[in-house]
Amino acid sequence: QQQVKQSPQSLIVQKGGISIINCAYENTAFDYFPWYQQFPGKGPALLIAIRPDVSEKKEGRFTISFNKSAKQFSLHIMDSQPGDSATYFCAASFNTGNQFYFGTGTSLTVIP
Amino acid sequence: ETGVTQSPTHLIKTRGQQVTLRCSSQSGHNTVSWYQQALGQGPQFIFQYYREEENGRGNFPPRFSGLQFPNYSSELNVNALELDDSALYLCASSPGTRANTEAFFGQGTRLTVV
């Protein structure tokens, strides 16, 4: 059973555009929602994370929007750059620990 | 680089064999988690070790076992390999097990079972 559902599977964006990746979860006990970025041949790296008591968090060009009632959260990448081309994973964990449930990933390609 | 190193980087094994994967955690980290990432999928949690004790396990059969050493490095052992075990195996180290503690991933071990 997929605890965290992610869409789209792939995304192509023009340089300077906005990339939006969406995730949904079922278990309301999840308490921490990170986004990871993975380049080919590398392990995932933490990009940005949010707790459910906050509706939005922004770090540079990356923003998480969180809708607790809808059990959905999304990653927005503003002014997308070719260097942002990677696979992005949303994830969730319970407040009991840092064992993560990952989405299926979104392959982002930013065209110059 | 995260400071988390995994070995080997690639491995080919035959169905039915056993394999051991290794992970050196980042300095100061006492927690290691292992994940299996099938091609085109997100990582799936296998188990976590905290100060040499298992601290949680995902939905994986007992033939997946692990160990953490006093220096907090860790091993993942898989017995009776099956074709479906072919995947990228990731370890992540963290300075504890609290919910919002960042986990730092290694580059992974690509296991192919033939």
Side-chain angles (χ1 to χ4, degrees), chain B residues 68-85:
Chain B
Q68 187 178 33
F69 299 98
N71 66 354
Y72 302 132
S73 66
S74 178
E75 286 182 354
L76 164 66
N77 298 291
V78 187
N79 293 322
L81 283 167
E82 301 177 0
L83 297 179
D84 283 350
D85 295 333

PDB file of all heavy atoms in Angstrom, chain B residues 68-85:
ATOM      1  N   GLN B  68      24.516  -3.312  13.458  1.00  0.00           N
ATOM      2  CA  GLN B  68      25.228  -2.045  13.612  1.00  0.00           C
ATOM      3  C   GLN B  68      26.371  -2.265  14.593  1.00  0.00           C
ATOM      4  O   GLN B  68      26.201  -2.923  15.625  1.00  0.00           O
ATOM      5  CB  GLN B  68      24.313  -0.931  14.109  1.00  0.00           C
ATOM      6  CG  GLN B  68      24.998   0.442  14.107  1.00  0.00           C
ATOM      7  CD  GLN B  68      24.086   1.579  14.549  1.00  0.00           C
ATOM      8  OE1 GLN B  68      23.209   1.386  15.389  1.00  0.00           O
ATOM      9  NE2 GLN B  68      24.308   2.762  13.996  1.00  0.00           N
ATOM     10  N   PHE B  69      27.507  -1.731  14.275  1.00  0.00           N
ATOM     11  CA  PHE B  69      28.720  -1.954  15.067  1.00  0.00           C
ATOM     12  C   PHE B  69      28.935  -0.802  16.056  1.00  0.00           C
ATOM     13  O   PHE B  69      28.320   0.264  15.926  1.00  0.00           O
ATOM     14  CB  PHE B  69      29.912  -2.101  14.114  1.00  0.00           C
ATOM     15  CG  PHE B  69      29.770  -3.268  13.180  1.00  0.00           C
ATOM     16  CD1 PHE B  69      29.312  -3.083  11.884  1.00  0.00           C
ATOM     17  CD2 PHE B  69      30.051  -4.563  13.608  1.00  0.00           C
ATOM     18  CE1 PHE B  69      29.154  -4.163  11.027  1.00  0.00           C
ATOM     19  CE2 PHE B  69      29.898  -5.638  12.755  1.00  0.00           C
ATOM     20  CZ  PHE B  69      29.440  -5.440  11.463  1.00  0.00           C
ATOM     21  N   PRO B  70      29.858  -1.005  17.029  1.00  0.00           N
ATOM     22  CA  PRO B  70      30.094   0.050  18.031  1.00  0.00           C
ATOM     23  C   PRO B  70      30.505   1.392  17.424  1.00  0.00           C
ATOM     24  O   PRO B  70      30.271   2.440  18.031  1.00  0.00           O
ATOM     25  CB  PRO B  70      31.209  -0.536  18.903  1.00  0.00           C
ATOM     26  CG  PRO B  70      31.000  -2.014  18.808  1.00  0.00           C
ATOM     27  CD  PRO B  70      30.540  -2.260  17.396  1.00  0.00           C
ATOM     28  N   ASN B  71      31.122   1.371  16.235  1.00  0.00           N
ATOM     29  CA  ASN B  71      31.479   2.656  15.598  1.00  0.00           C
ATOM     30  C   ASN B  71      30.304   3.196  14.763  1.00  0.00           C
ATOM     31  O   ASN B  71      30.470   4.173  14.037  1.00  0.00           O
ATOM     32  CB  ASN B  71      32.720   2.497  14.721  1.00  0.00           C
ATOM     33  CG  ASN B  71      32.488   1.593  13.523  1.00  0.00           C
ATOM     34  OD1 ASN B  71      31.429   0.988  13.387  1.00  0.00           O
ATOM     35  ND2 ASN B  71      33.489   1.492  12.664  1.00  0.00           N
ATOM     36  N   TYR B  72      29.144   2.566  14.863  1.00  0.00           N
ATOM     37  CA  TYR B  72      27.889   2.946  14.216  1.00  0.00           C
ATOM     38  C   TYR B  72      27.840   2.653  12.722  1.00  0.00           C
ATOM     39  O   TYR B  72      26.837   2.994  12.073  1.00  0.00           O
ATOM     40  CB  TYR B  72      27.514   4.406  14.499  1.00  0.00           C
ATOM     41  CG  TYR B  72      27.377   4.704  15.973  1.00  0.00           C
ATOM     42  CD1 TYR B  72      27.984   5.823  16.550  1.00  0.00           C
ATOM     43  CD2 TYR B  72      26.665   3.841  16.803  1.00  0.00           C
ATOM     44  CE1 TYR B  72      27.868   6.072  17.901  1.00  0.00           C
ATOM     45  CE2 TYR B  72      26.549   4.089  18.163  1.00  0.00           C
ATOM     46  CZ  TYR B  72      27.154   5.204  18.709  1.00  0.00           C
ATOM     47  OH  TYR B  72      27.053   5.448  20.052  1.00  0.00           O
ATOM     48  N   SER B  73      28.870   2.037  12.174  1.00  0.00           N
ATOM     49  CA  SER B  73      28.731   1.550  10.815  1.00  0.00           C
ATOM     50  C   SER B  73      27.740   0.393  10.823  1.00  0.00           C
ATOM     51  O   SER B  73      27.391  -0.141  11.896  1.00  0.00           O
ATOM     52  CB  SER B  73      30.089   1.109  10.255  1.00  0.00           C
ATOM     53  OG  SER B  73      30.570  -0.022  10.955  1.00  0.00           O
ATOM     54  N   SER B  74      27.278   0.002   9.646  1.00  0.00           N
ATOM     55  CA  SER B  74      26.193  -0.969   9.602  1.00  0.00           C
ATOM     56  C   SER B  74      26.335  -1.904   8.413  1.00  0.00           C
ATOM     57  O   SER B  74      27.006  -1.583   7.421  1.00  0.00           O
ATOM     58  CB  SER B  74      24.856  -0.232   9.525  1.00  0.00           C
ATOM     59  OG  SER B  74      23.759  -1.129   9.436  1.00  0.00           O
ATOM     60  N   GLU B  75      25.734  -3.064   8.533  1.00  0.00           N
ATOM     61  CA  GLU B  75      25.647  -4.033   7.452  1.00  0.00           C
ATOM     62  C   GLU B  75      24.194  -4.393   7.198  1.00  0.00           C
ATOM     63  O   GLU B  75      23.370  -4.453   8.131  1.00  0.00           O
ATOM     64  CB  GLU B  75      26.396  -5.321   7.801  1.00  0.00           C
ATOM     65  CG  GLU B  75      27.888  -5.227   7.747  1.00  0.00           C
ATOM     66  CD  GLU B  75      28.554  -6.568   8.060  1.00  0.00           C
ATOM     67  OE1 GLU B  75      27.838  -7.532   8.419  1.00  0.00           O
ATOM     68  OE2 GLU B  75      29.784  -6.632   7.952  1.00  0.00           O
ATOM     69  N   LEU B  76      23.899  -4.638   5.931  1.00  0.00           N
ATOM     70  CA  LEU B  76      22.615  -5.210   5.526  1.00  0.00           C
ATOM     71  C   LEU B  76      22.918  -6.562   4.902  1.00  0.00           C
ATOM     72  O   LEU B  76      23.736  -6.646   3.978  1.00  0.00           O
ATOM     73  CB  LEU B  76      21.914  -4.293   4.527  1.00  0.00           C
ATOM     74  CG  LEU B  76      20.762  -4.898   3.710  1.00  0.00           C
ATOM     75  CD1 LEU B  76      19.593  -5.257   4.623  1.00  0.00           C
ATOM     76  CD2 LEU B  76      20.298  -3.923   2.635  1.00  0.00           C
ATOM     77  N   ASN B  77      22.288  -7.600   5.415  1.00  0.00           N
ATOM     78  CA  ASN B  77      22.459  -8.939   4.874  1.00  0.00           C
ATOM     79  C   ASN B  77      21.145  -9.407   4.262  1.00  0.00           C
ATOM     80  O   ASN B  77      20.076  -9.222   4.846  1.00  0.00           O
ATOM     81  CB  ASN B  77      22.856  -9.910   5.992  1.00  0.00           C
ATOM     82  CG  ASN B  77      24.178  -9.529   6.624  1.00  0.00           C
ATOM     83  OD1 ASN B  77      25.230  -9.626   6.014  1.00  0.00           O
ATOM     84  ND2 ASN B  77      24.117  -9.050   7.861  1.00  0.00           N
ATOM     85  N   VAL B  78      21.257  -9.998   3.089  1.00  0.00           N
ATOM     86  CA  VAL B  78      20.082 -10.567   2.447  1.00  0.00           C
ATOM     87  C   VAL B  78      20.402 -12.016   2.090  1.00  0.00           C
ATOM     88  O   VAL B  78      21.372 -12.288   1.373  1.00  0.00           O
ATOM     89  CB  VAL B  78      19.665  -9.806   1.181  1.00  0.00           C
ATOM     90  CG1 VAL B  78      18.336 -10.344   0.658  1.00  0.00           C
ATOM     91  CG2 VAL B  78      19.556  -8.310   1.461  1.00  0.00           C
ATOM     92  N   ASN B  79      19.614 -12.937   2.617  1.00  0.00           N
ATOM     93  CA  ASN B  79      19.786 -14.363   2.330  1.00  0.00           C
ATOM     94  C   ASN B  79      18.836 -14.808   1.237  1.00  0.00           C
ATOM     95  O   ASN B  79      17.826 -14.145   0.960  1.00  0.00           O
ATOM     96  CB  ASN B  79      19.498 -15.184   3.598  1.00  0.00           C
ATOM     97  CG  ASN B  79      20.533 -14.943   4.674  1.00  0.00           C
ATOM     98  OD1 ASN B  79      21.723 -14.798   4.388  1.00  0.00           O
ATOM     99  ND2 ASN B  79      20.086 -14.875   5.918  1.00  0.00           N
ATOM    100  N   ALA B  80      19.166 -15.939   0.630  1.00  0.00           N
ATOM    101  CA  ALA B  80      18.281 -16.556  -0.373  1.00  0.00           C
ATOM    102  C   ALA B  80      17.784 -15.524  -1.376  1.00  0.00           C
ATOM    103  O   ALA B  80      16.567 -15.306  -1.531  1.00  0.00           O
ATOM    104  CB  ALA B  80      17.110 -17.246   0.327  1.00  0.00           C
ATOM    105  N   LEU B  81      18.703 -14.885  -2.044  1.00  0.00           N
ATOM    106  CA  LEU B  81      18.372 -13.797  -2.962  1.00  0.00           C
ATOM    107  C   LEU B  81      17.353 -14.213  -4.012  1.00  0.00           C
ATOM    108  O   LEU B  81      17.413 -15.329  -4.560  1.00  0.00           O
ATOM    109  CB  LEU B  81      19.626 -13.288  -3.647  1.00  0.00           C
ATOM    110  CG  LEU B  81      20.538 -12.386  -2.809  1.00  0.00           C
ATOM    111  CD1 LEU B  81      21.889 -12.211  -3.474  1.00  0.00           C
ATOM    112  CD2 LEU B  81      19.869 -11.040  -2.558  1.00  0.00           C
ATOM    113  N   GLU B  82      16.429 -13.290  -4.273  1.00  0.00           N
ATOM    114  CA  GLU B  82      15.423 -13.474  -5.311  1.00  0.00           C
ATOM    115  C   GLU B  82      15.625 -12.403  -6.386  1.00  0.00           C
ATOM    116  O   GLU B  82      16.227 -11.359  -6.125  1.00  0.00           O
ATOM    117  CB  GLU B  82      14.015 -13.360  -4.708  1.00  0.00           C
ATOM    118  CG  GLU B  82      13.746 -14.375  -3.613  1.00  0.00           C
ATOM    119  CD  GLU B  82      12.382 -14.214  -2.965  1.00  0.00           C
ATOM    120  OE1 GLU B  82      11.637 -13.292  -3.369  1.00  0.00           O
ATOM    121  OE2 GLU B  82      12.055 -15.007  -2.047  1.00  0.00           O
ATOM    122  N   LEU B  83      15.091 -12.687  -7.578  1.00  0.00           N
ATOM    123  CA  LEU B  83      15.257 -11.736  -8.673  1.00  0.00           C
ATOM    124  C   LEU B  83      14.712 -10.353  -8.300  1.00  0.00           C
ATOM    125  O   LEU B  83      15.288  -9.325  -8.676  1.00  0.00           O
ATOM    126  CB  LEU B  83      14.568 -12.254  -9.934  1.00  0.00           C
ATOM    127  CG  LEU B  83      15.123 -13.556 -10.518  1.00  0.00           C
ATOM    128  CD1 LEU B  83      14.325 -13.970 -11.742  1.00  0.00           C
ATOM    129  CD2 LEU B  83      16.600 -13.440 -10.862  1.00  0.00           C
ATOM    130  N   ASP B  84      13.610 -10.329  -7.546  1.00  0.00           N
ATOM    131  CA  ASP B  84      12.976  -9.064  -7.158  1.00  0.00           C
ATOM    132  C   ASP B  84      13.800  -8.262  -6.161  1.00  0.00           C
ATOM    133  O   ASP B  84      13.454  -7.127  -5.855  1.00  0.00           O
ATOM    134  CB  ASP B  84      11.587  -9.321  -6.566  1.00  0.00           C
ATOM    135  CG  ASP B  84      10.572  -9.630  -7.647  1.00  0.00           C
ATOM    136  OD1 ASP B  84      10.908  -9.459  -8.841  1.00  0.00           O
ATOM    137  OD2 ASP B  84       9.448 -10.054  -7.316  1.00  0.00           O
ATOM    138  N   ASP B  85      14.862  -8.852  -5.641  1.00  0.00           N
ATOM    139  CA  ASP B  85      15.739  -8.105  -4.726  1.00  0.00           C
ATOM    140  C   ASP B  85      16.657  -7.164  -5.489  1.00  0.00           C
ATOM    141  O   ASP B  85      17.368  -6.357  -4.870  1.00  0.00           O
ATOM    142  CB  ASP B  85      16.582  -9.068  -3.887  1.00  0.00           C
ATOM    143  CG  ASP B  85      15.739  -9.928  -2.957  1.00  0.00           C
ATOM    144  OD1 ASP B  85      14.638  -9.489  -2.565  1.00  0.00           O
ATOM    145  OD2 ASP B  85      16.187 -11.044  -2.632  1.00  0.00           O
TER     146      ASP B  85
END
